[in-house]
Amino acid sequence: MSKYYLNYLDELESEAIYILREVWAQFQNPVILFSGGKDSIVVTHLAKKAFFPSKIPFPLMHVDTGHNFLETIQFRDDLITELGLQLIVGSVQDSIDQGRVAEERGKNATRNALQITTLLDAIERHKVDCAIGGGRRDEEKARAKERFFSHRDDFGQWDPKNQRPELWNILNGKHFEGEHFRAFPISNWTEMDVWNYILRENISIPSLYFAHQRKVVWRSNSWIPISDHLLLEDGEEVFEKKIRFRTLGDITITGGIESDADSLEKIVQEVSAMKQTERGNRSDDKRSESAMEDRKRQGYF
């Protein structure tokens, strides 16, 4: 492993730790948005380093769609116990039951967009003034517009044309009552950086990221896992494939890829040769060219 390579990861780590400490310095009630995916796991690991030897000084917040991979929920609960942190859960099912949102229907129904209302309600209920996320600029063109400190108005909405300048990494978290920020410590990281860092730090991740046998159906140009929440159409065939997932989310929309990568070293090697973005297997991002930006304007992660 080259000296340059090590220095490069150290530089990314240092930048992320600086941003996490700035969040703690400038905000009164921040949280880490925790999905159980690799990016939020890396952010949590960085927060451990940022405040060591003390424990992470703010809670984790999970927006629970109710359509989760069981492996993800178990990983989340185990990590919370290990770190001794508070977990705040916003439930999409509760939002549905309370009439705050309406369940989608049909073959490609998803609860992904419904998370917006649940998230904004949880932020207001717990008086969160900064939600720290694992978004990266290389993921999607809408996220490429994000700053480290992303301002949200009193409706939780994002306006890419009304963001604060961040010259020389001077971060401005000032806001009016009712407004809040999203902070993205790993904005400048790529998927490859994340995997190299996980490998270097030997960070535990859910088993879903490793290749394993699973029952799936071919839909939206990816392998969608069979679950109690997936409605099969007549003629759709269920296969058993050795697959892994590059990104985790609502189990009804998160597609896997055929793979033999069953170790961190093999994942790093596989990702280095890929040309398609990791969100290419998320069917919710295929609904329109501006699907992600539309959701972000409404208050999405």
Side-chain angles (χ1 to χ4, degrees):
M1 202 173 286
S2 71
K3 183 178 179 181
Y4 169 80
Y5 171 78
L6 288 172
N7 287 343
Y8 174 60
L9 285 181
D10 288 342
E11 184 177 340
L12 288 174
E13 179 188 73
S14 179
E15 179 182 66
I17 286 174
Y18 164 74
I19 293 162
L20 285 162
R21 289 173 176 168
E22 280 293 303
V23 169
W24 184 236
Q26 295 195 39
F27 297 97
Q28 298 298 313
N29 195 26
V31 299
I32 292 177
L33 294 175
F34 189 82
S35 66
K38 66 184 185 307
D39 298 318
S40 62
I41 291 170
V42 165
V43 169
T44 304
H45 178 83
L46 288 162
K48 284 171 57 180
K49 284 198 164 188
F51 301 103
F52 183 82
S54 298
K55 70 178 184 180
I56 299 172
F58 30 78
L60 271 55
M61 177 183 284
H62 178 218
V63 179
D64 182 0
T65 67
H67 289 176
N68 302 291
F69 289 93
L70 296 179
E71 296 94 327
T72 305
I73 297 301
Q74 185 62 56
F75 184 93
R76 178 201 71 183
D77 293 345
D78 291 345
L79 184 63
I80 287 293
T81 300
E82 176 190 336
L83 297 177
L85 299 179
Q86 177 190 2
L87 174 66
I88 298 170
V89 178
S91 169
V92 172
Q93 185 61 56
D94 286 349
S95 298
I96 295 171
D97 295 342
Q98 294 163 11
R100 296 281 292 146
V101 293
E103 182 94 72
E104 287 188 9
R105 303 294 178 187
K107 171 185 173 182
N108 295 314
T110 170
R111 289 186 169 186
N112 205 38
L114 307 188
Q115 296 179 82
I116 297 170
T117 298
T118 304
L119 172 62
L120 294 178
D121 285 350
I123 286 173
E124 182 176 2
R125 182 166 60 252
H126 294 278
K127 301 186 184 305
V128 172
D129 54 1
C130 184
I132 306 164
R136 307 188 325 269
R137 294 185 181 123
D138 77 314
E139 285 184 273
E140 206 272 344
K141 57 188 177 183
R143 286 188 167 164
K145 302 176 184 179
E146 286 283 17
R147 306 289 172 86
F148 288 125
F149 278 14
S150 178
H151 175 264
R152 304 299 171 106
D153 65 19
D154 53 356
F155 294 102
Q157 296 177 331
W158 172 69
D159 181 1
K161 297 179 181 178
N162 188 31
Q163 296 297 312
R164 314 283 173 81
E166 293 181 345
L167 304 176
W168 306 289
N169 278 357
I170 297 175
L171 306 177
N172 180 0
K174 292 184 178 180
H175 58 285
F176 292 108
E177 182 72 24
E179 299 177 343
H180 73 278
F181 274 77
R182 309 287 171 84
F184 300 103
I186 61 171
S187 286
N188 286 334
W189 298 45
T190 65
E191 182 187 12
M192 195 72 216
D193 297 331
V194 169
W195 282 116
N196 278 323
Y197 188 72
I198 290 172
L199 176 61
R200 188 185 84 167
E201 300 285 303
N202 194 28
I203 300 172
S204 295
I205 56 174
S207 60
L208 295 160
Y209 284 112
F210 300 104
H212 58 286
Q213 294 292 132
R214 196 172 192 118
K215 291 183 178 179
V216 290
V217 63
W218 183 251
R219 183 185 291 182
S220 300
N221 291 318
S222 61
W223 292 109
I224 303 297
I226 298 298
S227 71
D228 294 338
H229 309 294
L230 189 70
L231 298 176
L232 292 176
E233 288 198 331
D234 291 340
E236 282 192 315
E237 186 176 356
V238 176
F239 299 89
E240 186 162 326
K241 295 279 185 179
K242 190 174 183 181
I243 63 168
R244 73 174 193 87
F245 298 91
R246 294 178 68 191
T247 178
L248 303 184
D250 189 324
I251 195 171
T252 62
I253 59 170
T254 303
I257 60 170
E258 291 189 71
S259 173
D260 291 315
D262 55 6
S263 69
L264 288 176
E265 290 81 3
K266 289 181 181 178
I267 289 174
V268 168
Q269 184 177 16
E270 182 180 82
V271 171
S272 68
M274 286 182 166
K275 296 181 179 179
Q276 184 185 42
T277 173
E278 65 202 278
R279 295 190 68 91
N281 292 94
R282 291 285 292 272
S283 61
D284 55 319
D285 288 347
K286 300 176 183 178
R287 293 190 171 192
S288 73
E289 285 294 321
S290 60
M292 172 65 83
E293 181 151 346
D294 292 342
R295 294 199 304 274
K296 284 178 67 63
R297 286 180 182 275
Q298 298 168 35
Y300 189 71
F301 311 138

